[in-house]
């Protein structure tokens, strides 16, 4: 299975600022995803990070708020822009390591715990 | 109605007990059914997956899928303190993927 690291592991930020989260994988993967995990809520997919093209965002998430980069097959960044306390959450990077898009072989990074004050 | 429903618990059991964790779902198109384990301050870790209906066993863990009832279960036999974690069910069809909210489990020595 892929080994995934995320930086930073946690941060406390002031409202109105932006934070960029990095995700590094130890092998080349086709699919990389960004999720948000809020207390008492299920994991919510923010977007699929596409290598060499614009990310694909889920309903309710927009590029201006969550710009994503994916310069190669092992690295991606998620920026949380113009933060508000409602953005306080755990942000998770995940990768798919299977043959097809079935998510049973999806692996997650350790997460970035963000608190916005 | 949510796509996936999962009782958040918390669930507390003595060491050695049999644990039953459950999820219900509404979309009959789901084909892959997964269970993830998430330790505190860690990312979810894939524990088991099942394709379509039936049972799957892996050591102390058994996953069951009943598509007729839209109900999936994870059984943990001889539970250990190291099993203390949040367990998330997940299911998918095509490129759509849905998670439950997770059940917090504590196994007391």
């Amino acid at each position: 299975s892929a080994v995934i690291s995320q930086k930073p592991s946690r941060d406390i930020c002031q409202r109105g600022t932006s934070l960029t989260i990095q995700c590094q994988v130890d092998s080349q993967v086709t699919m990389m995803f960004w999720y948000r995990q809020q207390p008492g809520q299920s994991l919510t997919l923010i977007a699929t990070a596409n290598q060499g093209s614009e990310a694909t965002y889920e309903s309710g998430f927009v590029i201006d708020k969550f710009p994503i980069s994916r310069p190669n097959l092992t690295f991606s960044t998620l920026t949380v822009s113009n933060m508000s306390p409602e953005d306080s959450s755990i942000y998770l990077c995940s990768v798919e390591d299977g043959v097809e898009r079935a998510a049973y072989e999806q692996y997650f990074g350790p997460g970035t715990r963000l608190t916005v004050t | 109605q949510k796509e996936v429903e999962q009782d958040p618990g918390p669930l507390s059991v003595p060491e050695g007990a049999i644990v039953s964790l459950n999820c219900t779902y509404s979309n009959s198109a789901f084909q892959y059914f997964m269970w993830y384990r998430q330790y505190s301050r860690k990312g979810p870790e894939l524990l088991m997956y099942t394709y379509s209906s039936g049972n799957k066993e892996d050591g102390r863990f058994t996953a069951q899928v009943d598509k007729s009832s839209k109900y999936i279960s994870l059984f943990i036999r001889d539970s250990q303190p190291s099993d203390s974690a949040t367990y998330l069910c997940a299911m998918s069809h095509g490129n759509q993927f849905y998670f439950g909210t997770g059940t917090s489990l504590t196994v007391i020595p």
Side-chain angles (χ1 to χ4, degrees):
Chain A
S1 63
V3 176
I4 306 166
S5 60
Q6 283 185 236
K7 290 181 182 180
S9 58
R10 61 192 310 155
D11 208 342
I12 301 173
C13 301
Q14 291 188 344
R15 71 174 65 207
T17 63
S18 298
L19 176 72
T20 295
I21 303 167
Q22 298 179 6
C23 177
Q24 180 73 56
V25 190
D26 69 342
S27 60
Q28 294 185 343
V29 293
T30 305
M31 308 290 285
M32 294 182 76
F33 311 96
W34 287 98
Y35 284 84
R36 183 172 70 183
Q37 185 176 32
Q38 295 179 312
Q41 297 186 26
S42 56
L43 282 167
T44 303
L45 180 63
I46 297 172
T48 301
N50 301 308
Q51 194 267 328
S53 64
E54 196 169 280
T56 304
Y57 290 84
E58 298 299 308
S59 175
F61 298 96
V62 295
I63 187 171
D64 290 346
K65 176 67 175 177
F66 297 101
I68 287 171
S69 78
R70 176 130 187 238
N72 56 53
L73 294 176
T74 64
F75 185 79
S76 178
T77 66
L78 168 75
T79 298
V80 186
S81 303
N82 188 25
M83 288 183 285
S84 66
E86 292 71 35
D87 294 319
S88 297
S89 184
I90 298 171
Y91 291 87
L92 292 154
C93 169
S94 79
V95 305
E96 179 200 296
D97 210 6
V99 174
E100 56 186 25
R101 179 49 182 94
Y104 65 86
E105 291 191 81
Q106 197 168 126
Y107 300 94
F108 287 85
T112 295
R113 187 177 297 267
L114 171 63
T115 303
V116 183
T117 60
Chain B
Q1 182 183 11
K2 287 185 178 179
E3 296 276 358
V4 180
E5 298 275 1
Q6 183 175 11
D7 186 341
L11 187 61
S12 184
V13 302
E15 183 175 353
I18 296 174
V19 177
S20 173
L21 304 168
N22 311 295
C23 288
T24 59
Y25 62 94
S26 57
N27 191 338
S28 58
F30 287 137
Q31 291 184 304
Y32 286 92
F33 302 89
M34 286 72 69
W35 286 96
Y36 285 82
R37 178 175 60 195
Q38 186 173 20
Y39 290 114
S40 180
R41 302 186 184 281
K42 301 287 186 182
E45 167 195 14
L46 180 63
L47 198 56
M48 297 181 70
Y49 76 90
T50 308
Y51 176 71
S52 193
S53 280
N55 296 356
K56 188 171 185 177
E57 188 172 318
D58 184 2
R60 296 184 295 110
F61 298 88
T62 299
Q64 285 187 352
V65 175
D66 183 348
K67 294 192 77 175
S68 62
S69 301
K70 296 189 178 69
Y71 189 87
I72 70 171
S73 301
L74 177 70
F75 297 97
I76 307 174
R77 291 183 299 280
D78 186 25
S79 56
Q80 303 295 308
S82 58
D83 295 327
S84 299
T86 297
Y87 291 80
L88 298 95
C89 65
M91 42 204 81
S92 71
H93 69 91
N95 61 357
Q96 297 298 313
F97 193 80
Y98 300 89
F99 285 88
T101 54
T103 300
S104 175
L105 170 67
T106 300
V107 180
I108 302 168

